[in-house]
Amino acid sequence: MERTYINEVQKEIGSTVKVQGFIENLRNSKYMAFIVLKDITGKLQITVEKEDHPELVDTIDKLTPDSVITVTGKVMENDYVKMGGIEMIPEAIAIESIADALPIVRKEIAATKKKKAVERSSIDQRIDYRWIDLRTDENQLMFKAQSCFVNAMRQFLLERSFIETHTPKLIAAASESGSEVFKVDYFDRNAYLAQSPQFYKQMAMAAGFERIFETGPVFRAEKSYTNKHSTEFSGFDLEFSYITSYKDVMKMEEELLTAGLKAVKEQYGEQIKELFGLEVVVPTTPFPVVKLADLYKGLEEEFGYTVDESEKGDLTTEAERLSYDWVKKHYGHEFLFITDYSAEKRAFYHMRDENGVPQGYDLIWRGVEITTGAQREHRYDVLKKQAEEKGLADDVKFYLEFFQYGCPPHGGFGLGIDRLTMLLCGQSIKDAEFLFRGPNRLTP
């Protein structure tokens, strides 16, 4: 008999089916046993009257929470059952795996008249046993929503003639600045783990691919201990040619994110609201845009927030956070494009206008930066000069060659998939990554 997923069981009332999953809850009394079985699609109550099924008693007595079982039985309607008014009366229970007592508490357990409350284990303790922690409804929903989000963005781009690429993560030179990279031994020389696919995305433009995107790992050797930084994360990057301005890149990004959030809201919006208490908001376009200097002026006028002149060429962490209050107040929006950063604070490959202003932006969502995007400098002589200004010409010699033999105007951006998930569900980066990597975390 083929397995039936639990979310399909309601179609099989009166029939005998086979279900498989983890035991989420188990009540085993003298005369009755109630098992809540969970698979990735849902939950089902298994009801056993021991007098009617004495052959199952020994098996049931061996069961523990989180054990894995296969159950064959008849699906019945029962209005008293909270899980959809459906239960299964088993004919056979096969034990696939017995679980030991769990080493972590995944959720806080409220106090009762007989028992004290039990605190939830810390996030670091839970990551030690991440595979157990991931069995919760919240965690599984988070990654279902992430999968939906990324798939919707991928489909959006494929429908617009983008090609999906897969670029190397072992590279000969640091991706951008020469710092914050992981050095690895590569036979008789050094190699580095890629900070981003940036250089190879642009190589694809020089190759005439015109429109490309990629999902893949990104490595940052940053000793950052915050709720939004990690040393390895999953990136969603794209680049496209024949643009007239970085505003074309902004338009592409706002439409991409809107498509992704629309798909998530349709499929998982109600569940996210129920389990995380957050509304999935499908944004209106165009997104609000503000120059960095104007944002600082607004933050000072409305929130009394000031920074030293030396810091005004870039966005401070506090300004980033306050920008959410500012954009909600002025535009009723969750997203904000910020433009006109200092050239000193931007990568050398960002195009600059006649006044030396980088032709790019940051995108802030719910007070957290999720993107740096830009029109790239595609003219070899200008690009070489900008690399020399930052002392990088020798380090990026191979990259500069991409532009010596013809290259169209182009631009692009990158998104952190884990950070998007974090903001979508209101979690920390440690919760939002499938397996977190940080300065002190290399296992499991």
Side-chain angles (χ1 to χ4, degrees):
M1 182 182 292
E2 287 190 10
R3 172 193 182 190
T4 299
Y5 282 103
I6 286 174
N7 69 337
E8 296 292 324
V9 163
Q10 70 269 21
K11 300 176 184 176
E12 303 292 340
I13 293 169
S15 301
T16 298
V17 301
K18 180 174 80 174
V19 293
Q20 296 176 299
F22 287 86
I23 295 174
E24 181 167 277
N25 197 8
L26 173 64
R27 282 192 292 143
N28 187 13
S29 65
K30 186 175 180 180
Y31 301 107
M32 298 284 292
F34 299 94
I35 301 166
V36 176
L37 194 68
K38 179 183 190 304
D39 70 9
I40 195 64
T41 69
K43 299 175 188 180
L44 176 66
Q45 178 173 300
I46 315 293
T47 306
V48 185
E49 293 195 34
K50 293 184 177 180
E51 190 175 38
D52 294 342
H53 295 280
E55 75 282 1
L56 299 179
V57 172
D58 285 347
T59 299
I60 290 168
D61 287 344
K62 295 174 186 174
L63 298 179
T64 60
D66 281 63
S67 293
V68 179
I69 58 175
T70 297
V71 186
T72 305
K74 183 171 283 190
V75 181
M76 307 291 287
E77 287 185 295
N78 184 340
D79 293 339
Y80 294 102
V81 176
K82 292 179 181 177
M83 282 169 282
I86 294 171
E87 65 182 350
M88 174 184 274
I89 309 301
E91 298 167 3
I93 299 175
I95 297 173
E96 306 296 348
S97 174
I98 290 290
D100 289 346
L102 299 185
I104 56 171
V105 178
R106 292 173 293 206
K107 294 184 183 181
E108 182 180 323
I109 301 172
T112 64
K113 290 180 180 179
K114 295 181 179 179
K115 293 182 181 179
K116 292 182 179 180
V118 180
E119 286 187 10
R120 186 186 191 193
S121 299
S122 71
I123 181 61
D124 287 312
Q125 289 174 316
R126 286 184 281 120
I127 292 176
D128 287 340
Y129 298 92
R130 182 62 164 160
W131 63 97
I132 301 171
D133 188 44
L134 285 170
R135 292 174 190 167
T136 65
D137 295 344
E138 289 84 355
N139 278 328
Q140 292 184 350
L141 172 61
M142 188 157 50
F143 290 98
K144 288 176 185 177
Q146 181 187 93
S147 181
C148 175
F149 204 152
V150 173
N151 182 60
M153 293 195 296
R154 176 181 272 114
Q155 292 305 315
F156 175 90
L157 296 176
L158 290 173
E159 289 167 7
R160 286 156 181 78
S161 303
F162 277 74
I163 298 169
E164 185 168 7
T165 59
H166 303 281
T167 61
K169 304 307 164 208
L170 280 170
I171 59 176
S175 306
E176 296 180 14
S177 65
S179 62
E180 299 174 350
V181 293
F182 290 109
K183 186 192 296 186
V184 297
D185 292 330
Y186 193 74
F187 303 105
D188 60 343
R189 57 196 183 280
N190 291 327
Y192 303 88
L193 296 179
Q195 287 178 307
S196 85
Q198 185 57 47
F199 290 174
Y200 296 109
K201 289 195 300 176
Q202 292 187 257
M203 189 190 86
M205 300 302 96
F209 278 36
E210 296 197 10
R211 295 181 157 214
I212 65 100
F213 74 97
E214 169 173 340
T215 61
V218 176
F219 302 91
R220 299 283 167 89
E222 297 174 328
K223 288 188 177 179
S224 295
Y225 301 89
T226 74
N227 66 354
K228 62 181 182 180
H229 286 94
S230 57
T231 53
E232 179 184 353
F233 59 89
S234 298
F236 189 103
D237 281 82
L238 64 84
E239 204 81 13
F240 59 111
S241 292
Y242 301 108
I243 66 173
T244 57
S245 162
Y246 69 94
K247 292 177 182 177
D248 296 337
V249 183
M250 292 161 66
K251 186 173 188 293
M252 180 68 74
E253 181 164 18
E254 65 190 14
E255 290 177 355
L256 175 76
L257 287 168
T258 300
L261 286 166
K262 184 173 184 288
V264 172
K265 186 174 182 68
E266 287 174 359
Q267 193 162 351
Y268 297 111
E270 288 303 314
Q271 293 176 57
I272 289 172
K273 189 173 183 179
E274 180 185 345
L275 293 184
F276 294 107
L278 284 177
E279 194 80 41
V280 178
V281 178
V282 179
T284 55
T285 57
F287 291 0
V289 184
V290 65
K291 291 181 179 180
L292 181 61
D294 293 336
L295 177 63
Y296 273 124
K297 185 180 177 184
L299 295 181
E300 182 174 355
E301 290 173 354
E302 295 174 43
F303 304 106
Y305 178 71
T306 60
V307 296
D308 190 81
E309 284 298 321
S310 63
E311 294 187 80
K312 288 190 174 180
D314 202 0
L315 190 67
T316 65
T317 302
E318 181 64 10
E320 187 179 304
R321 186 186 66 79
L322 287 172
S323 72
Y324 186 31
D325 296 324
W326 186 86
V327 75
K328 280 195 298 182
K329 178 179 177 181
H330 289 274
Y331 296 94
H333 214 281
E334 293 193 338
F335 288 90
L336 178 64
F337 282 124
I338 304 173
T339 66
D340 291 58
Y341 284 77
S342 160
E344 183 187 344
K345 301 295 183 181
R346 300 280 99 169
F348 74 91
Y349 49 77
H350 286 200
M351 182 177 280
R352 302 171 192 170
D353 67 11
E354 63 277 7
N355 298 313
V357 178
Q359 300 299 283
Y361 63 89
D362 278 355
L363 178 57
I364 314 299
W365 182 29
R366 294 180 171 174
V368 177
E369 182 232 308
I370 58 169
T371 290
T372 295
Q375 178 166 5
R376 320 302 186 186
E377 182 51 72
H378 63 283
R379 297 162 294 184
Y380 173 74
D381 54 340
V382 179
L383 185 61
K384 184 170 182 288
K385 182 183 175 186
Q386 291 181 183
E388 287 169 348
E389 284 175 11
K390 290 184 181 277
L392 295 170
D394 291 338
D395 292 337
V396 297
K397 188 176 179 183
F398 82 97
Y399 162 77
L400 293 173
E401 288 179 352
F402 299 160
F403 304 90
Q404 283 185 270
Y405 307 99
C407 186
H410 61 275
F413 58 87
L415 290 158
I417 292 170
D418 309 286
R419 194 172 282 191
L420 288 178
T421 308
M422 173 188 92
L423 293 166
L424 180 70
C425 298
Q427 302 297 294
S428 74
I429 197 68
K430 287 183 177 182
D431 286 293
E433 285 198 332
F434 182 76
L435 269 176
F436 174 74
R437 287 290 177 261
N440 298 330
R441 172 66 67 174
L442 202 52
T443 57

